[in-house]
């Protein structure tokens, strides 16, 4: 088991990630190519996403496992693990948009969820950040 300590641990980890991306051009290129192939949908900012549920226009969907969801999630998020998504599409209103978030910047879960929603003609958003950013 691992537990984050107190203090700005997440900010430090994010700073290391940005430093690595800055110093290693190959990392940026691999990530950009991989994610662009998965989905070219432009990601929405946290600010834009945080306003949409208040307008009742978007369901915030956490596609991580139930265990990860239990450890922490965005306020108001609905948990449907990616493996269960197709089976549970009826649980979500097709009148609302869906914003599928993921573990973090390099996690492909939300890209796969977005592709699934597009196949079923949902209005879908992919947040720029993941949890816990």
């Amino acid at each position: 088991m691992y537990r984050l300590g107190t203090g700005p641990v997440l900010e430090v980890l994010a700073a290391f990630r940005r430093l690595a991306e800055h110093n290693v051009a190959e990392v940026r290129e691999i990530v950009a190519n991989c994610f662009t192939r998965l989905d070219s949908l432009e990601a929405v900012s946290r600010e834009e996403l945080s306003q949409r549920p208040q307008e009742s226009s978007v369901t915030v969907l956490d596609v991580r496992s139930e265990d990860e969801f239990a450890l922490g999630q965005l306020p108001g998020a609905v948990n449907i693990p990616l493996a269960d998504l197709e089976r549970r599409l009826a649980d979500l209103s097709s009148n609302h948009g869906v914003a599928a978030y993921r573990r973090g910047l390099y996690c492909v879960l939300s890209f796969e969820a977005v592709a699934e929603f597009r196949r079923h003609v949902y209005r879908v958003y992919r947040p720029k950040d993941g949890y816990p950013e």
Side-chain angles (χ1 to χ4, degrees), residues 28-44:
R28 286 192 307 273
E29 184 177 335
I30 289 168
V31 169
N33 289 339
C34 176
F35 287 166
T36 301
R37 266 195 323 263
L38 289 171
D39 180 41
S40 60
L41 179 70
E42 184 177 338
V44 296

Side-chain angles (χ1 to χ4, degrees), residues 106-121:
Y106 297 122
C107 178
V108 297
L109 288 176
S110 67
F111 287 89
E112 293 174 6
V114 163
E116 183 68 25
F117 281 113
R118 283 185 166 183
R119 280 194 290 277
H120 294 281
V121 196

Side-chain angles (χ1 to χ4, degrees), residues 12-26:
V12 169
L13 292 175
F16 278 129
R17 183 191 74 230
R18 288 191 305 274
L19 179 64
E21 290 169 348
H22 175 77
N23 289 330
V24 183
E26 294 86 11

